[in-house]
Amino acid sequence: MRSETHYLGMVVAKNNGMLLADMTVHGRPSVNDLATLLAHAMKRPLDGDARRPRLVRLRGHRQWRGLFPVLKELGIDVSVERKLPGVERAYRDHLRRLRDDQRAGMIKPSAAQAKVEAMFPAVAR
């Protein structure tokens, strides 16, 4: 079997680190995927306050270049950067929420199951 790569695109507000939009992409993301993600962040952001940014910060991937003229027409400046600390922080928070959601469904052991160390000291060691 071949492994398949999935990407999570995220739009984060610079001032407060709030996640405005996210989108999972199966396979290599295209300029259309980025345009869709940005449109969601502007038209229907997760915080509910629709707005047009003055500046979009992106990692320097070649496939995004096709979107630059469109953003310029909309009056949105583009900054290409190596690191995006706000997005990296939001991604860590996203992973933490996923882990917490998985743990919430875990079944708590019964009183008898919690005493397994006393019942099986060799296993406990």
Side-chain angles (χ1 to χ4, degrees):
M1 288 183 64
R2 292 177 48 186
S3 62
E4 189 174 307
T5 304
H6 303 282
Y7 292 86
L8 176 65
M10 302 176 88
V11 177
V12 178
K14 182 184 180 223
N15 55 353
N16 60 9
M18 172 71 106
L19 181 65
L20 299 177
D22 63 349
M23 184 172 85
T24 302
V25 177
H26 303 283
R28 186 182 174 114
S30 70
V31 70
N32 291 332
D33 295 321
L34 178 60
T36 300
L37 179 62
L38 291 173
H40 288 194
M42 288 188 272
K43 288 183 176 181
R44 51 185 183 94
L46 296 173
D47 69 356
D49 297 327
R51 58 193 167 277
R52 181 182 301 182
R54 282 179 261 144
L55 174 69
V56 172
R57 298 172 195 272
L58 299 168
R59 286 199 178 113
H61 296 291
R62 202 172 287 155
Q63 69 263 32
W64 306 149
R65 289 183 189 164
L67 191 59
F68 293 1
V70 175
L71 291 173
K72 187 174 183 173
E73 278 184 36
L74 295 172
I76 300 171
D77 292 327
V78 176
S79 174
V80 176
E81 301 181 13
R82 285 182 180 238
K83 293 195 175 205
L84 301 169
V87 173
E88 291 166 6
R89 202 173 312 111
Y91 182 65
R92 284 193 303 272
D93 291 345
H94 173 74
L95 291 178
R96 188 177 333 105
R97 280 192 303 278
L98 288 177
R99 280 193 308 270
D100 291 348
D101 288 348
Q102 288 175 344
R103 288 182 182 157
M106 294 175 68
I107 298 172
K108 297 191 184 230
S110 67
Q113 291 170 333
K115 297 178 183 176
V116 72
E117 291 180 2
M119 294 169 49
F120 302 100
V123 173
R125 276 183 266 144

